[in-house]
């Protein structure tokens, strides 16, 4: 009888899924940062934690992962989709709207931090190439940790929060050239390096340029063709196809797959399918990130801390202070008050998740010695662990500073000119009624955002430059992506009664204070929308009938005042409006 080989790393995969199912709800309940939680659990169950005792107690192999290779392949997949998600959030239009902060403040923070850290690394005996890589990689902060802390503190919409977001955006862009630099430095570090760097850089730029040009012409029509079925499975398949295809193309060109995934996300961010793709892959986002960070934790040998605890603690504290002071200075020069700058600096002081990617790449290519790489991974991990406490101290000090020096800092506190992302109108359904609303909003310079599930209509409207996206607005996740928490109102003009009712119900459940205006087909549909939570319902049949009635009464010679009174009385007599 033929023996069937089980799936490779099945035990490790089952253990990871079990831990994830237990961890994520617990971390959310106790408001513990998921990045920190997965790092810690990776340390505990990894080969340098409890997994190191498997030889003495074999039964521990069922609750630990004694060999890091058990999740390495899946972790690489997690890295790819982590980069894809970053690219998906970095719309070129969004970057351009915040260009002064992204390219001005963000560039200054990255370059100054890299220069300071790289100089220290070189002074401690590292080669010029290693010092360059360490300076650049440690200048980056953790997008996942900082964004979660900003959300918990409810400061993302403040000038300080928006400035930190702009800096993080620039850091995310910096990962791409940093990965290229690591690959280039690893290929030749002795002779002809300048020429080889120039040649490889030219090839890299050419490959990226071709992908961006071709991708813009292919991806949107590809999604438009296959999205006719309006099934989430189709979007998932297309997303995987685009991401892995472009990642494979960059790998074939000698670049990293992470770079290709980033480019795939950036291309999709420019299409009308961006929000639908985000919603489709949302359930897998936490899982893949958890897999990546747990794998990182498994590679951390905490015994290094016991060997030299003073040196480890000094390095972590030094990293936090250097980056915090530089970031605070840059934020202050960019227009924030001293208190806000200090608060933002402490938020950006830690090492970032991309340090694990870049250092891992440098280790695999031999550019970085194993001992140095392990030490840096440990420093970055510990900086992530202490960030919540460090940021809380920075927030306390910053608020006390501004309270004490309010007259001197009030002007700087309002100097940040960021695009206003609130007060817009969200229109669900962009047929005849929705298009009419959009035209009026455009004439009156009212910011609005439209969602439509008809692929062909979305394509035509996008070609005209209208702010319309493809998606199923009945999904609560998509409503969140549309920024309804900051919207002035929601207008539902959909043709399908059941879908319109679901949109109104979900919007009311998530945003109790939101003004919701809906269009209904008849009186029964209007009552259903009101019960679902609509603020005002306009039945199109009733309005058309009343308008025709008014014209007919005018033709009979009735005064306009009497006609308006009759129409108003008829409107009030019907239970179709909830004002």
């Amino acid at each position: 009888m033929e023996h069937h080989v089980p799936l490779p790393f099945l035990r490790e995969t089952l253990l990871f899924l079990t831990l994830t199912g237990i961890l994520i709800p617990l971390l959310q309940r106790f408001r513990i940062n998921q990045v920190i939680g997965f790092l810690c659990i990776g340390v505990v169950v990894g080969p340098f934690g409890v997994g190191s005792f498997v030889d003495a107690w074999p039964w521990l192999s069922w609750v630990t992962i004694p060999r890091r290779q058990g999740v390495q392949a899946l972790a690489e997949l997690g890295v790819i989709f982590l980069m894809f998600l970053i690219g998906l959030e970095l719309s070129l239009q969004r970057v351009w709207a915040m260009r002064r902060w992204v390219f001005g403040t963000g560039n200054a923070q990255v370059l100054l931090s890299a220069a300071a850290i790289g100089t220290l690394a070189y002074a401690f005996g590292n080669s010029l190439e290693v010092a360059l890589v360490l300076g650049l990689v440690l200048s980056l902060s953790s997008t996942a940790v900082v964004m979660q802390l900003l959300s918990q503190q409810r400061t993302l919409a403040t000038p300080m929060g928006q400035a930190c977001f702009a800096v993080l955006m620039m850091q995310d862009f910096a990962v791409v050239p940093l990965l290229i630099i690591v690959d280039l430095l690893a290929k030749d570090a002795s002779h002809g390096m300048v020429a080889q760097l120039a040649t490889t850089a030219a090839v890299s730029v050419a490959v990226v340029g071709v992908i961006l040009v071709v991708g813009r012409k292919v991806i949107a029509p590809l999604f438009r063709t296959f999205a006719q079925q309006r099934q989430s499975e189709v979007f998932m398949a297309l997303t995987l196809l685009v991401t892995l295809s472009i990642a494979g193309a960059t790998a074939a060109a000698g670049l990293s797959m992470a770079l290709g995934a980033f480019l795939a996300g950036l291309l999709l961010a420019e299409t009308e399918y961006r929000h639908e793709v985000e919603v489709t892959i949302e359930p897998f986002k936490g899982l893949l990130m958890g897999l990546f960070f747990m794998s990182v934790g498994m590679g951390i040998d905490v015994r290094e801390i016991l060997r030299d605890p003073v040196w480890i603690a000094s390095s972590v504290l030094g990293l936090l202070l250097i980056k915090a002071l530089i970031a605070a200075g840059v934020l202050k020069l960019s227009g924030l008050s001293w208190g806000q700058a200090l608060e933002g600096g402490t938020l950006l002081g830690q090492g970032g998740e991309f340090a694990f990617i870049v250092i891992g790449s440098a280790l695999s290519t031999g550019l970085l010695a194993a001992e140095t790489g392990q030490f840096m991974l440990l420093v970055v991990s510990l900086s992530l662990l202490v960030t919540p406490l460090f940021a809380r101290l920075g927030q306390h000090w910053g608020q006390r500073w501004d309270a004490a020096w309010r007259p001197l800092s009030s002007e700087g506190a309002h100097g940040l000119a960021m695009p206003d992302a609130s007060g817009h109108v969200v229109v669900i359904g962009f047929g005849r009624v929705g298009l009419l609303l959009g035209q009026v909003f455009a004439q009156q310079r009212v910011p609005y955002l439209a969602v439509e599930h008809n692929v062909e209509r979305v394509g035509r409207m996008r070609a005209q430059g209208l702010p319309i996206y493809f998606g199923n607005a009945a999904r609560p996740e998509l409503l969140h992506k549309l920024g309804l928490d900051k919207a002035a109102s929601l207008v539902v003009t959909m043709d399908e009664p059941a879908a319109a009712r679901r949109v109104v119900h979900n919007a009311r459940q998530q945003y109790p204070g939101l003004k919701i205006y809906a269009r209904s087909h008849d009186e029964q549909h209007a009552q259903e929308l009101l019960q679902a939570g609509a603020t005002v319902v306009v039945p199109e049949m009733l309005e058309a009938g009343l308008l025709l009635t008014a014209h007919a009464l005018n033709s009979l010679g009735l005064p306009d005042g009497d006609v308006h009174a009759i129409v108003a009385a008829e409107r009030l007599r019907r239970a179709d409006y909830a004002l």
Side-chain angles (χ1 to χ4, degrees):
M1 181 177 180
E2 184 180 355
H3 177 68
H4 293 281
V5 180
L7 290 173
F9 309 123
L10 177 61
R11 181 180 58 81
E12 290 84 352
T13 304
L14 293 176
L15 177 60
F16 166 73
L17 293 174
T18 303
L19 291 172
T20 304
I22 297 173
L23 268 180
I24 290 181
L26 286 177
L27 295 175
Q28 292 176 345
R29 180 177 181 181
F30 294 104
R31 296 184 178 181
I32 300 174
N33 188 277
Q34 290 191 9
V35 173
I36 297 173
F38 280 112
L39 279 173
C40 291
I41 200 65
V43 172
V44 172
V45 304
F48 300 113
V50 180
S52 61
F53 299 101
V54 167
D55 292 337
W57 295 291
W59 61 270
L60 286 176
S61 62
W62 293 99
V63 293
T64 62
I65 302 180
R67 293 179 299 276
R68 191 165 179 257
Q69 292 81 2
V71 293
Q72 190 65 39
L74 292 176
E76 292 177 359
L77 186 63
V79 172
I80 291 174
F81 280 94
L82 181 63
M83 291 296 295
F84 171 77
L85 291 170
I86 293 297
L88 193 62
E89 294 173 358
L90 289 179
S91 167
L92 293 177
Q93 295 178 351
R94 191 177 189 183
V95 173
W96 184 249
M98 303 172 66
R99 57 189 178 277
R100 183 172 73 90
W101 288 89
V102 173
F103 299 108
T105 308
N107 260 328
Q109 185 275 329
V110 171
L111 295 177
L112 291 175
S113 298
I117 297 172
T119 301
L120 282 176
Y122 185 72
F124 277 95
N126 292 287
S127 66
L128 183 60
E129 293 81 7
V130 171
L132 174 63
V133 171
L134 291 180
L136 289 172
V137 72
L138 294 179
S139 68
L140 308 183
S141 307
S142 172
T143 302
V145 172
V146 175
M147 293 301 291
Q148 183 167 350
L149 289 175
L150 288 172
S151 299
Q152 289 177 353
Q153 298 171 359
R154 297 184 179 180
T155 54
L156 182 58
T158 65
M160 183 277 298
Q162 291 290 288
C164 289
F165 176 76
V167 172
L168 292 172
M169 194 180 296
M170 183 64 237
Q171 292 181 358
D172 291 338
F173 274 122
V175 174
V176 177
L178 182 52
L179 289 171
I180 296 175
I181 289 173
V182 171
D183 290 340
L184 295 179
L185 292 176
K187 288 181 178 179
D188 193 336
S190 56
H191 59 278
M193 190 177 76
V194 175
Q196 188 169 357
L197 285 176
T199 302
T200 311
V203 173
S204 302
V205 171
V207 170
V208 171
V210 170
I211 290 175
L212 290 177
V213 172
V214 175
R216 282 189 170 186
K217 296 182 179 297
V218 172
I219 290 180
L222 179 67
F223 272 77
R224 192 174 299 122
T225 301
F226 290 97
Q228 299 281 358
Q229 302 177 17
R230 305 174 187 171
Q231 294 180 350
S232 58
E233 295 86 351
V234 174
F235 267 90
M236 177 59 69
L238 288 176
T239 301
L240 291 173
L241 173 64
V242 169
T243 305
L244 296 179
S245 297
I246 297 180
T250 54
L255 305 175
S256 66
M257 294 186 70
L259 172 60
F262 176 85
L263 295 175
L266 199 63
L267 287 169
L268 276 173
E270 296 301 310
T271 69
E272 59 268 34
Y273 307 103
R274 169 186 176 181
H275 295 303
E276 186 70 11
V277 171
E278 286 180 335
V279 171
T280 302
I281 65 176
E282 187 70 27
F284 303 94
K285 181 178 179 180
L287 188 66
L288 292 171
M289 287 187 65
L291 180 61
F292 168 63
F293 287 112
M294 189 181 294
S295 172
V296 169
M298 292 176 190
I300 298 173
D301 189 354
V302 293
R303 293 172 295 187
E304 294 290 334
I305 303 177
L306 301 178
R307 292 191 182 100
D308 201 344
V310 176
W311 179 236
I312 291 288
S314 301
S315 301
V316 174
L317 182 60
L319 176 65
L320 291 171
L321 290 177
I322 290 173
K323 291 186 64 180
L325 291 174
I326 292 175
V330 171
L331 293 175
K332 170 58 182 173
L333 292 175
S334 299
L336 293 182
S337 68
W338 271 118
Q340 291 173 322
L342 181 61
E343 185 178 349
T346 54
L347 276 170
L348 298 170
Q350 79 290 129
E353 55 265 16
F354 293 116
F356 303 115
I357 301 175
V358 177
I359 291 176
S361 177
L363 286 171
S364 63
T365 57
L367 178 63
L368 202 60
E371 182 179 356
T372 304
Q374 181 62 230
F375 180 83
M376 290 302 162
L377 289 176
L378 193 57
V379 169
V380 172
S381 302
L382 292 176
S383 72
L384 289 170
L385 289 173
V386 301
T387 290
L389 175 61
F390 192 58
R392 194 175 299 116
L393 292 174
Q395 185 181 35
H396 175 71
W397 295 334
Q399 290 175 352
R400 292 193 62 178
W401 180 286
D402 278 350
W405 300 93
R406 183 73 62 186
L408 296 178
S409 62
S410 58
E411 181 179 353
H414 299 283
L416 183 61
M418 302 294 290
D420 186 8
S422 62
H424 61 293
V425 178
V426 177
V427 180
I428 306 299
F430 214 65
R432 292 169 296 174
V433 177
L435 180 59
L436 175 61
L437 287 170
Q439 291 172 345
V440 175
F441 290 153
Q443 292 172 0
Q444 301 300 320
R445 300 184 182 276
V446 175
Y448 75 95
L449 184 67
V451 176
E452 171 61 49
H453 66 270
N454 185 294
V455 177
E456 295 180 358
R457 187 177 301 155
V458 172
R460 290 197 306 269
M461 300 303 175
R462 288 282 292 193
Q464 300 175 20
L466 299 180
I468 181 173
Y469 293 89
F470 174 85
N472 179 9
R475 303 174 67 177
E477 301 90 344
L478 183 59
L479 294 176
H480 176 70
K481 296 291 184 183
L482 299 175
L484 285 182
D485 55 330
K486 301 177 183 178
S489 61
L490 172 69
V491 182
V492 181
T493 71
M494 303 173 69
D495 290 328
E496 302 174 8
R501 186 172 61 251
R502 286 196 301 271
V503 171
V504 172
H505 173 75
N506 292 336
R508 179 58 67 211
Q509 290 291 320
Q510 295 185 71
Y511 310 99
L514 179 66
K515 295 179 180 178
I516 303 176
Y517 305 106
R519 157 205 179 194
S520 70
H521 289 281
D522 49 37
E523 298 178 17
Q524 180 181 355
H525 186 211
Q527 291 295 334
E528 294 174 354
L529 292 173
L530 290 173
Q531 294 173 2
T535 308
V536 174
V537 177
V538 179
E540 59 182 14
M541 293 179 60
L542 174 64
E543 286 299 319
L546 291 176
L547 184 59
L548 290 173
T549 300
H551 285 298
L553 292 175
N554 278 325
S555 69
L556 296 175
L558 271 69
D560 290 341
D562 293 344
V563 172
H564 289 314
I566 294 171
V567 172
E570 182 63 20
R571 184 178 284 123
L572 289 174
R573 190 178 67 82
R574 297 174 178 269
D576 296 312
Y577 287 80
L579 299 177

